[in-house]
Amino acid sequence: MFSLGAIKIPTVAFLRKQLNTTALIEFGKYIQKVFPAVFSTEFIQHEVVGEYSYLFTVRGSDPQLMPYMLLAHMDVVPASEEGWKFPPFSAEEDEGYIYGRGTLDNKNSAIGILQALEFLLRRNYRPRRSFYIGIGHDEEVSGLDGGKQIAMLLQARGVKLSFLLDEGSGILDGVIEGIKSPVALIAVTEKGSLTLNLTVRSDPGHSSAPPKETSIGILAAAVSRLEKNPMPRLFGYGPELMMFEHLASEFAFPLNIVMKNLWLFSPLVSRIIERKPTGNSMVRTTTALTIFKAGIKFNVIPHLASAAVNFRIHPAQKVAEVLEIVKDTIDDDRVEITVTEAFDPLPISPWDDQALGVQIFRRTIMDVFPHVSSIAPGVCIGNTDSRHFTNLTDAIYRFNPVVLKADDVSRIHGWNERISVKDYEKQVEFLFQLIQNSDIDKLPKPHLSTHEL
Ligand SMILES: CCCCCCCC/C=C\CCCCCCCC(=O)N[C@@H](CC(C)C)C(=O)O
Ligand SMILES: [Zn+2]
Ligand SMILES: [Zn+2]
């Protein structure tokens, strides 16, 4: 059963230096109380990193086996009191669901991992393969003080990982149009990100005698041009090609033929997929206007107008290319463009018969979710703490073992975030199995089944 107390602790991250530190400390105390075996077992070391994050080192019995890592975070995005069926930190249960901020993102993983380990320890289990558990405290505001510090600590200790598993994708049931059965998407990369600040300055003055153009008008026109001119379609140039090829047999005729021949049909397919926001995020670098500020009084022409625009960069593009397109699209020297943050899409993790992590996930998914009809490589459309771990392994995977239905995706960071009791139990079962399945020292034989790889 989900430790409901974890959801009740409002570990909200507003900005990098604006965290609810009281709640973060309480969360640390809470996990010590509810997972006594994890905190007292002789072969498990726990450390607090960056003041609030946790790093667990679980020493396996066979030091020859290269360790792996499970990553999650305890912080959550803010939640308004309105719009929710139940208050976001009440952990209310209703018709088999637990409601609350963090139930999908990402206390389900943080608590789920520790719960699975606690169960194993109570059965006197000791793993053969060592592993690390990282529970970050600031993922929602960059991960620089939590996840990144854990990565740097491990790097300083010379640790190399055989694979790493974080949040960022899931088992999609009815999310991809045309696919009826649930499919597990394990993200092998995540999109890059670029945030720009746009500023326009013009002479202030009385609203009774306005100039032809004001800072607000100039800026509004610039951001509107960005919105009306989406970034180029790149569908088929990144790992989403692999994803749809793997999923081809899930589509009914004639779409299955279309998906098997994306070299020919990708222009057509991308025009269909891009109609929905999640589909559009697979097709191109997305453009999101997120902040717009100007003016202080109805009869004062403001001197300054500013806006923030956030781009999520398609795996086949780089920051520099996006920036060039933005400048060409705005095409107005009065708009000052400054980069607030930028990073390229993450490297693509291996997806082949030699990829230990993939084989272990595949086997565990088939054990725990037998109704899943395909397992395919995907792309994480947001960013995760795992991006700070690229110096420790090239095998980074993003997959939350939870079934997401069409309306669940918008609950993440939205209203009425919830997880069913059954789905949470499945998540713990997955992690319980995964830890044991990771003890193999060589790859399992290819499985004869209809599951895709
Ligand atoms: C053809 C359609 C495929 C659609 C796939 C959609 C799958 C959606 C499934 C899960 C959504 C996962 C959301 C990704 C996690 C993002 C976590 C997050 O919000 N991170 C922040 C980090 C930032 C550095 C503060 C972010 O803004 O990305
Ligand atoms: Zn998250
Ligand atoms: Zn999040």
Side-chain angles (χ1 to χ4, degrees):
M1 182 57 199
F2 208 129
S3 307
L4 296 179
I7 300 299
K8 292 182 181 169
I9 305 171
T11 50
V12 177
F14 295 94
L15 291 170
R16 183 165 172 208
K17 296 290 171 204
Q18 232 180 289
L19 310 173
N20 184 345
T21 53
T22 313
L24 293 173
I25 293 168
E26 194 185 337
F27 193 89
K29 287 187 184 145
Y30 180 80
I31 55 176
Q32 301 204 21
K33 191 179 87 194
V34 293
F35 304 118
V38 172
F39 280 85
S40 62
T41 293
E42 152 283 318
F43 59 81
I44 302 179
Q45 180 196 6
H46 64 269
E47 295 165 88
V48 175
V49 181
E51 284 189 75
Y52 313 104
S53 290
Y54 277 79
L55 169 64
F56 300 86
T57 304
V58 183
R59 251 182 319 107
S61 57
D62 186 347
Q64 301 304 319
L65 298 179
M66 197 175 184
Y68 66 99
M69 181 152 196
L70 304 175
L71 208 53
H73 63 91
M74 66 174 88
D75 57 312
V76 296
V77 291
S80 59
E81 286 296 320
E82 322 82 63
W84 285 70
K85 191 168 177 188
F86 304 102
F89 297 102
S90 64
E92 201 74 48
E93 275 187 73
D94 182 51
E95 296 182 353
Y97 287 91
I98 302 158
Y99 283 76
R101 177 61 85 227
T103 47
L104 287 172
D105 179 14
N106 180 242
K107 287 178 177 170
N108 55 323
S109 295
I111 297 297
I113 294 167
L114 296 174
Q115 180 89 72
L117 181 56
E118 180 81 12
F119 280 149
L120 285 165
L121 295 171
R122 288 188 194 175
R123 285 165 176 70
N124 293 320
Y125 171 81
R126 176 166 189 190
R128 285 184 64 212
R129 188 185 291 275
S130 297
F131 63 100
Y132 298 92
I133 300 171
I135 313 281
H137 73 270
D138 63 343
E139 189 277 344
E140 297 292 2
V141 286
S142 74
L144 294 174
D145 301 309
K148 184 160 188 187
Q149 298 307 316
I150 294 177
M152 284 166 60
L153 181 63
L154 292 177
Q155 200 184 337
R157 290 177 183 166
V159 170
K160 287 283 176 199
L161 301 169
S162 52
F163 62 88
L164 181 149
L165 181 66
D166 195 1
E167 61 167 341
S169 188
I171 298 171
L172 304 188
D173 186 2
V175 176
I176 305 176
E177 230 172 308
I179 298 188
K180 292 217 164 54
S181 358
V183 292
L185 290 187
I186 301 172
V188 289
T189 183
E190 57 190 57
K191 294 180 90 176
S193 182
L194 168 66
T195 305
L196 298 178
N197 194 62
L198 309 182
T199 311
V200 178
R201 290 164 217 274
S202 61
D203 289 342
H206 199 289
S207 65
S208 57
K212 274 211 168 66
E213 286 184 294
T214 59
S215 53
I216 292 185
I218 296 165
L219 185 63
V223 295
S224 173
R225 278 200 291 284
L226 289 176
E227 205 169 50
K228 286 197 173 119
N229 294 284
M231 291 286 158
R233 289 187 186 91
L234 289 172
F235 183 73
Y237 292 91
E240 73 284 352
L241 176 69
M242 256 203 300
M243 165 179 157
F244 279 86
E245 282 174 352
H246 275 80
L247 296 177
S249 56
E250 296 294 329
F251 290 89
F253 179 81
L255 276 178
N256 55 346
I257 306 295
V258 169
M259 296 301 177
K260 276 195 184 104
N261 293 286
L262 283 176
W263 59 273
L264 177 64
F265 293 116
S266 63
L268 170 74
V269 173
S270 59
R271 279 180 169 75
I272 298 170
I273 298 181
E274 72 183 18
R275 290 188 208 148
K276 276 193 176 177
T278 45
N280 187 43
S281 68
M282 287 286 138
V283 167
R284 55 167 48 87
T285 295
T286 50
T287 303
L289 313 180
T290 48
I291 302 175
F292 199 101
K293 287 186 193 158
I296 41 155
K297 194 170 183 301
F298 80 93
N299 59 354
V300 177
I301 306 283
H303 164 52
L304 200 77
S306 70
V309 190
N310 179 235
F311 301 87
R312 297 301 172 116
I313 305 173
H314 186 278
Q317 227 172 14
K318 297 255 190 241
V319 169
E321 202 180 326
V322 176
L323 199 50
E324 273 316 299
I325 298 176
V326 169
K327 285 177 184 161
D328 287 350
T329 308
I330 292 180
D331 193 24
D332 187 338
D333 292 341
R334 294 170 299 176
V335 182
E336 190 184 312
I337 304 174
T338 50
V339 175
T340 313
E341 59 90 48
F343 54 90
D344 286 329
L346 276 291
I348 296 168
S349 303
W351 186 274
D352 56 53
D353 291 348
Q354 296 309 306
L356 179 70
V358 172
Q359 304 306 330
I360 293 171
F361 305 147
R362 180 175 180 253
R363 177 170 157 186
T364 313
I365 291 169
M366 288 159 68
D367 286 349
V368 181
F369 299 99
H371 62 299
V372 161
S373 58
S374 280
I375 301 167
V379 175
C380 178
I381 58 178
N383 294 113
T384 71
D385 265 352
S386 71
R387 73 183 194 283
H388 302 303
F389 289 76
T390 48
N391 287 337
L392 298 171
T393 178
D394 63 354
I396 294 179
Y397 302 95
R398 300 120 187 120
F399 175 70
N400 213 338
V402 174
V403 177
L404 295 172
K405 297 227 163 54
D407 75 334
D408 289 328
V409 176
S410 61
R411 295 175 194 273
I412 302 172
H413 289 202
W415 288 334
N416 294 320
E417 185 177 348
R418 66 179 191 185
I419 192 168
S420 73
V421 173
K422 192 181 103 276
D423 280 348
Y424 174 69
E425 285 169 359
K426 285 295 231 184
Q427 173 153 24
V428 176
E429 195 185 330
F430 174 90
L431 293 158
F432 183 84
Q433 279 304 129
L434 178 82
I435 294 171
Q436 295 175 85
N437 288 346
S438 298
D439 278 343
I440 52 154
D441 44 14
K442 55 182 188 311
L443 293 167
K445 287 204 180 76
H447 204 285
L448 285 178
S449 91
T450 54
H451 283 74
E452 297 280 331
L453 238 196

